[in-house]
Amino acid sequence: MDEVVIKKVNRLDTLELSLLVNESTNEGFRHLQRLVNDYESARNTFDKQGEAIFIAYHQGKVVGVCGLNQDPYAKENKVGRVRRMYVSSGSRRLGIGRLLMDAVISEARRHYSLLVLKTDNPGADLFYRSLGFVADTPSAHYSHVLTLKGSDHIWKIFEEKPRYKI
């Protein structure tokens, strides 16, 4: 496999993501269009403490994206949330998703005790389980959880209403 480069970016170039957005929309996914809309409206710019956005490049082209936010459903800032993960269909099964998630998990370990996400995609479920996420969660807001640092009674840090909307 040619070199894959994962970059943590401070500013999201939404034009650079346009091919990925079009592809994901054609596949029936809306989450990348929401990523662009939220970023351009400043609703979610991944710039709070512990937040980040990563872009995957393969052969000089953008082939993937994944973000990390503070989780809006947590009472405390100890929970990170995986946001808007997508890898181009022509670049899947090359380990790019794993590299993106390795970067997100590494960043999350610096700031959070837990990492959560929500998906209803069976393929994504298998992928996240292969990374160590547990899919049996007691919350309607999450489908998968990964413990990053030891924490007793970790579910006490969640609440029902989000602190902010993303």
Side-chain angles (χ1 to χ4, degrees):
M1 174 173 79
D2 295 320
E3 184 180 11
V4 174
V5 176
I6 306 296
K7 288 186 183 176
K8 178 181 173 183
V9 297
N10 295 324
R11 185 186 161 285
L12 188 62
D13 183 347
T14 57
L15 185 60
E16 184 179 52
L17 289 180
S18 61
L19 291 176
L20 276 186
V21 171
N22 290 338
E23 179 184 318
S24 69
T25 301
N26 289 336
E27 284 188 278
F29 300 118
R30 299 180 319 264
H31 66 290
L32 282 195
Q33 186 61 60
R34 284 193 301 257
L35 168 73
V36 168
N37 293 345
D38 289 350
Y39 190 85
E40 289 178 342
S41 72
R43 187 171 166 189
N44 185 6
T45 56
F46 298 88
D47 62 351
K48 292 179 178 69
Q49 177 67 29
E51 295 188 339
I53 188 115
F54 297 90
I55 306 293
Y57 298 87
H58 183 231
Q59 298 177 341
K61 297 186 322 185
V62 174
V63 295
V65 62
C66 190
L68 172 65
N69 282 128
Q70 293 176 4
D71 187 76
Y73 298 100
K75 292 179 187 176
E76 303 170 19
N77 291 338
K78 294 181 180 180
V79 182
R81 187 177 185 96
V82 176
R83 303 291 290 172
R84 314 300 188 213
M85 167 68 146
Y86 184 80
V87 174
S88 173
S89 62
S91 298
R92 293 180 191 149
R93 317 279 319 151
L94 298 176
I96 294 169
R98 184 169 292 273
L99 290 172
L100 278 166
M101 284 303 299
D102 285 348
V104 168
I105 291 168
S106 178
E107 183 71 20
R109 284 187 195 286
R110 298 176 52 224
H111 304 279
Y112 304 111
S113 298
L114 274 183
L115 189 57
V116 299
L117 62 93
K118 183 162 182 144
T119 185
D120 59 4
N121 180 307
D125 169 62
L126 292 174
F127 171 70
Y128 290 118
R129 286 175 190 248
S130 78
L131 296 172
F133 281 81
V134 175
D136 184 22
T137 68
S139 173
H141 301 293
Y142 318 104
S143 60
H144 295 73
V145 176
L146 179 67
T147 301
L148 301 172
K149 300 174 187 171
S151 181
D152 293 331
H153 311 292
I154 198 70
W155 292 105
K156 289 183 179 180
I157 64 179
F158 294 106
E159 59 186 35
E160 288 304 310
K161 295 182 181 176
R163 289 188 320 267
Y164 57 91
K165 200 170 189 179
I166 56 174

